[in-house]
Amino acid sequence: MSFRPFLFVLYLLLFARIAAPQAQAPALLPADDRYKADLLLIVAHPDDDVVIGGYLARIALDEHKRVAVVHCTNGDGGGNAVGNEAGASLGQMREIEARRALDYLGIHNVWFLPGHDTPGQNVLRSLDNWNHGRALDDVVRLVRITRPDVILTWLPDPVVGENHDDHQASSVLAVEAFDAAGDPTVFPEQVSPPRDRTGMANLTEGLLPWQPKKLYFMTDAFEDWGPYWHDSEALSPYRKTIVDHTGPVYETSTISPSRHMSYAEITAEHQAFYLTQEGDIGVQALKSGMFADFEYHAHLIFGKSLVGGTVTGDVFDGVSPQPIAFARVHGYEGPQQNGLLFEIGDPWRFYAMFWKAHDLDRLAELIPIPEATPEAGGKLALNFLACDRTAQPAEISVIPTMPAGWTTQPQFTNYPVRAGECYPIQVLLTAPPAAKSHWEQLSWTATAGSHPVGTVAVRVFVGKNGGLPQ
Ligand SMILES: [Zn+2]
């Protein structure tokens, strides 16, 4: 063979080697189906699930839906009805209570985030205490892991009777995660493929963006929440706007085909696992065989749907297994009004902006007048904002109108407001002792010189002990 043909053959061999098809790449691994949820419940504390226990039993045991639960705290700030253990130790025990209680309902994928239980009534305090951004990172990750069709959470609204700031904080995170988990630019490290899946020290997580389809809320601030409310009759006049025709309602006196007992009795069994909390109510019901206290309806409040259905229709109406495209929400827009303004402050002002930004405008109709309830001893702090959206400074006067017996501090009436700014006004009130729980309406009227600026009314629920009715 001469040299030239030899090179030609070598060239062919090399070319053939380069152009030959490579070995077939393996199929991509699917997302781990063990963690797939039809419904993801996002709550604040171990035992928050009891209010919706009958519904969870129905879908998990008899409709064979996959349910997963995220607790934003382990309840380390709660009391202990059966032992001396408190704080972090109690939190560890409450995790086990929740795992056992949910296991009884056939729910095994249960997570606890590191937020601390923060007793109070201002959602923004809980979000701060939980490190809002870090907590949202965790919740978005769990939405992407569980890929839920439906997210169920507490009602993001300061409702008297359901004012626990942690409950509301869990719902704020759930709403934010509903709208963010499908967006690959939010926590992008979660949706970037790992460098080497089977190797060590992968710092990107290999999840996929996920858009949940329907969002529902739950609340315990309604009158037939039997075992817990002592003042439900007094509360009820303003509860109808929350529960009547706002979402699907499920009976709990019906019999579970799989367990051959009512969903109310199943809820009593479920409740009885939470012995450090109100578990004894379940224990006593099981001893007596009387479950009337657990026959409260499971009320859900419709939040929004990206797959149709009606407000009061079944939670899973319109849901099919196919993933849906990311749905962009409205988002925040700057202030819409000019001139001088007087409005209620946080957390109510936050919610008014939050609902609009997350396409939940309908929540503004549930409680048309802001509600509040004093702490024990009758003390109540409220916040207002006096805003000047003009080019000139202004002096805004604020005068309260209160029922007899109420006192207020401080005694300032005139607030200097610079152009383009808002003056935060905090009002400390003391309610007179009340023989009976009842509602009162208070109002504050703002003027600038002789011009009216605005009036804000607040409904205050005064419990018979001066504080929360629970
Ligand atoms: Zn709770």
Side-chain angles (χ1 to χ4, degrees):
M1 187 185 284
S2 72
F3 187 65
R4 200 172 282 261
F6 171 76
L7 277 180
F8 179 70
V9 170
L10 188 65
Y11 171 80
L12 274 181
L13 282 173
L14 278 173
F15 179 79
R17 190 175 177 80
I18 290 164
Q22 298 290 299
Q24 181 76 29
L28 273 181
L29 289 171
D32 195 330
D33 202 47
R34 293 173 298 171
Y35 301 97
K36 163 71 182 164
D38 299 304
L39 182 142
L40 178 63
L41 177 68
I42 299 176
V43 290
H45 311 120
D47 88 343
D48 285 356
D49 42 35
V50 173
V51 69
I52 209 73
Y55 177 70
L56 296 179
R58 174 187 296 269
I59 62 167
L61 297 173
D62 294 319
E63 294 178 11
H64 308 292
K65 301 289 189 208
R66 292 163 292 184
V67 177
V69 183
V70 176
H71 301 87
C72 295
T73 81
N74 64 8
D76 57 354
N80 185 345
V82 293
N84 284 322
E85 298 85 355
S89 298
L90 175 66
Q92 296 300 328
M93 293 176 171
R94 291 187 68 182
E95 285 193 21
I96 302 298
E97 285 185 340
R99 289 189 191 284
R100 289 178 175 164
L102 290 162
D103 191 65
Y104 175 73
L105 300 183
I107 298 170
H108 311 298
N109 291 340
V110 176
W111 286 276
F112 296 87
L113 303 184
H116 288 291
D117 193 341
T118 316
Q121 295 187 44
N122 186 340
V123 59
L124 303 177
R125 288 183 69 248
S126 289
L127 288 169
D128 210 7
N129 197 23
W130 293 358
N131 188 342
H132 188 164
R134 174 61 195 262
L136 182 62
D137 182 350
D138 287 337
V139 176
V140 168
R141 177 179 292 105
L142 289 168
V143 170
R144 287 169 172 166
I145 288 174
T146 57
R147 309 181 316 283
D149 295 316
V150 177
I151 289 182
L152 172 60
T153 185
W154 285 111
L155 181 67
D157 197 345
V159 184
V160 166
E162 204 283 278
N163 253 3
H164 199 304
D165 47 4
D166 286 346
H167 292 186
Q168 293 175 50
S170 68
S171 69
V172 165
L173 292 170
V175 169
E176 290 176 337
F178 185 100
D179 292 335
D183 179 347
T185 68
V186 177
F187 304 118
E189 62 281 6
Q190 295 180 6
V191 295
S192 186
R195 185 182 56 180
D196 174 5
R197 176 177 64 80
T198 59
M200 310 290 271
N202 286 296
L203 285 175
T204 53
E205 302 178 32
L207 296 173
L208 293 173
W210 180 262
Q211 176 62 64
K213 297 163 187 165
K214 296 180 90 175
L215 177 63
Y216 286 88
F217 304 116
M218 62 190 204
T219 177
D220 56 10
F222 49 83
E223 57 200 282
D224 64 351
W225 176 225
Y228 303 90
W229 285 101
H230 310 298
D231 288 327
S232 57
E233 247 177 68
L235 264 174
S236 62
Y238 300 123
R239 291 291 79 99
K240 288 195 171 302
T241 51
I242 300 177
V243 294
D244 284 0
H245 314 296
T246 55
V249 180
Y250 297 90
E251 296 290 330
T252 53
S253 55
T254 47
I255 301 296
S256 157
S258 64
R259 292 277 167 96
H260 310 293
M261 54 203 223
S262 72
Y263 292 111
E265 184 174 351
I266 295 175
T267 307
E269 294 268 11
H270 174 199
Q271 164 80 314
F273 286 96
Y274 292 112
L275 284 180
T276 64
Q277 306 303 302
E278 282 105 353
D280 192 53
I281 297 172
V283 172
Q284 296 308 323
L286 292 168
K287 264 190 200 156
S288 68
M290 310 276 280
F291 302 106
D293 276 354
F294 289 91
E295 288 177 359
Y296 48 85
H297 296 114
H299 289 273
L300 272 60
I301 298 169
F302 176 78
K304 60 183 172 180
S305 170
L306 303 174
V307 291
T310 60
V311 168
T312 54
D314 183 70
V315 168
F316 288 93
D317 279 356
V319 170
S320 68
Q322 284 73 39
I324 60 169
F326 171 65
R328 180 184 304 283
V329 283
H330 190 262
Y332 172 70
E333 285 181 11
Q336 302 295 300
Q337 276 177 285
N338 288 320
L340 300 180
L341 298 169
F342 178 62
E343 57 190 17
I344 194 154
D346 291 331
W348 297 272
R349 183 187 69 126
F350 157 70
Y351 274 123
M353 296 185 288
F354 179 78
W355 297 330
K356 270 203 182 85
H358 291 275
D359 298 339
L360 294 169
D361 302 63
R362 57 193 312 280
L363 293 191
E365 297 158 21
L366 297 184
I367 302 174
I369 296 180
E371 293 181 358
T373 194
E375 304 284 352
K379 302 280 182 201
L380 174 64
L382 293 175
N383 300 294
F384 300 92
L385 285 180
C387 298
D388 179 356
R389 298 204 184 107
T390 75
Q392 302 296 325
E395 184 163 276
I396 297 180
S397 305
V398 179
I399 305 293
T401 305
M402 297 186 296
W406 285 75
T407 58
T408 181
Q409 306 172 296
Q411 299 298 330
F412 303 125
T413 53
N414 298 343
Y415 297 90
V417 192
R418 286 192 288 262
E421 294 186 1
C422 293
Y423 196 111
I425 300 170
Q426 187 173 71
V427 176
L428 295 172
L429 299 155
T430 307
K436 206 166 156 247
S437 301
H438 63 286
W439 289 93
E440 305 226 42
Q441 186 158 317
L442 287 70
S443 65
W444 286 261
T445 298
T447 53
S450 58
H451 301 286
V453 173
T455 297
V456 173
V458 178
R459 279 189 191 132
V460 180
F461 185 81
V462 184
K464 62 185 163 217
N465 301 319
L468 285 167
Q470 193 170 5

